[in-house]
Each structure stands twice: as structure tokens, then as C-alpha cells.
Amino acid sequence: MLQIAIVTALLLTAVLFALVSSRAIDSADSRDEVARHLFLASFDGSGVAPSLLLEVFEALRRRVPQGVDVMRPADQLAATYGFTQEDAEDVVLLVAARSEGHLPTPSDLDRLGQQVRTVADLVRFLVPFCMPEPQPRILAQAS
């Protein structure tokens, strides 16, 4: 009888833990979805490809402090997020690698510290590296 009570208590604890964890995950997913939407909306009319903005959002989201729910274009990378030059370089390299463009050179990354202070600066810096490389045109052969 005691064993049944112990097993039942353990099962109830496991089910309660699963429910609480599931709600926490759903809540975090919901907050991320809202934050993603607000991030994209803040760049409306900028002409930046949504795919690039999503890559920047995902790369930043993993690195910003937990208390930051919404990332805005005017947010200072160092002051608001505590980013160092190396953090910004990591984000640039990650986003550029995931795009269909080309990776920045070391001299490009050296300019990063002078040109990039805010999230909007970061996006502008990334645009040329995240543009697809022009594909050579194959001329149709006349038969």
C-alpha cells in the first residue's frame, strides 16, 4: 500500500512538473513571437530583407540579457546589451554565414567598431554582406 502511495505521488509530481514546464515554454514562445513581430515592425519601410532581419533577431536574441524583452533599432549594443567588439563580430559573422552573401574580411570587422553602435547600425553594416552573390548568366546556345 505504501509503495502505491509513493508511486502515485511521484507520478502526480511528474505530471505537475510537465504541466508547469509546458506553460513556461509556451509563455516564452509567445513572448519571443511578440518580440520578433515588434522587431520586424520597427524596421518597416527600411528596405531591409525580412530574412536578414530575422537572422539578426535570432542572433541577438541568444545574446541579449534576459531582462530585454523587446529589441529596438535605437538600442545601444554596448550600453543596453553589454556587448563587446567580439560579441558584435560574432553576430556579424553568424548572420553573414547564414545568408547567401559573403563573409566580412578582417578589415571589414575592424570597421565594425567605428560604424556600429546600435541595432540599426548593425543591420546597415550587415546588408552588403548578406546580399546574394551575383550569379553568372549562362547564355543559351543557338541550336
Side-chain angles (χ1 to χ4, degrees):
M1 194 63 123
L2 180 60
Q3 291 174 339
I4 293 173
I6 291 172
V7 169
T8 303
L10 288 173
L11 285 173
L12 286 174
T13 303
V15 168
L16 181 61
F17 179 76
L19 284 172
V20 169
S21 296
S22 173
R23 287 187 182 189
I25 289 170
D26 288 345
S27 176
D29 287 346
S30 176
R31 279 193 310 270
D32 272 357
E33 188 64 34
V34 169
R36 186 178 299 107
H37 174 75
L38 291 172
F39 186 80
L40 290 172
S42 66
F43 284 95
D44 264 357
S46 68
V48 177
S51 58
L52 171 58
L53 293 173
L54 287 172
E55 290 294 346
V56 171
F57 174 84
E58 293 301 328
L60 289 175
R61 193 65 167 157
R62 292 184 195 109
R63 290 170 173 80
V64 298
Q66 284 187 336
V68 177
D69 289 328
V70 177
M71 295 177 290
R72 295 175 178 83
D75 286 352
Q76 298 286 318
L77 295 175
T80 306
Y81 303 152
F83 276 31
T84 63
Q85 172 78 15
E86 290 78 23
D87 293 323
E89 287 177 8
D90 287 347
V91 169
V92 166
L93 290 170
L94 178 66
V95 172
R98 289 184 174 173
S99 72
E100 295 183 19
H102 60 280
L103 292 176
T105 65
S107 64
D108 294 327
L109 293 176
D110 288 342
R111 289 190 341 255
L112 182 72
Q114 297 143 1
Q115 295 178 352
V116 176
R117 300 276 187 259
T118 66
V119 173
D121 293 340
L122 180 68
V123 169
R124 278 190 297 276
F125 184 85
L126 277 162
V127 168
F129 300 106
C130 297
M131 308 257 313
E133 293 288 330
Q135 299 299 315
R137 292 177 42 179
I138 299 173
L139 299 175
Q141 295 180 352
S143 305

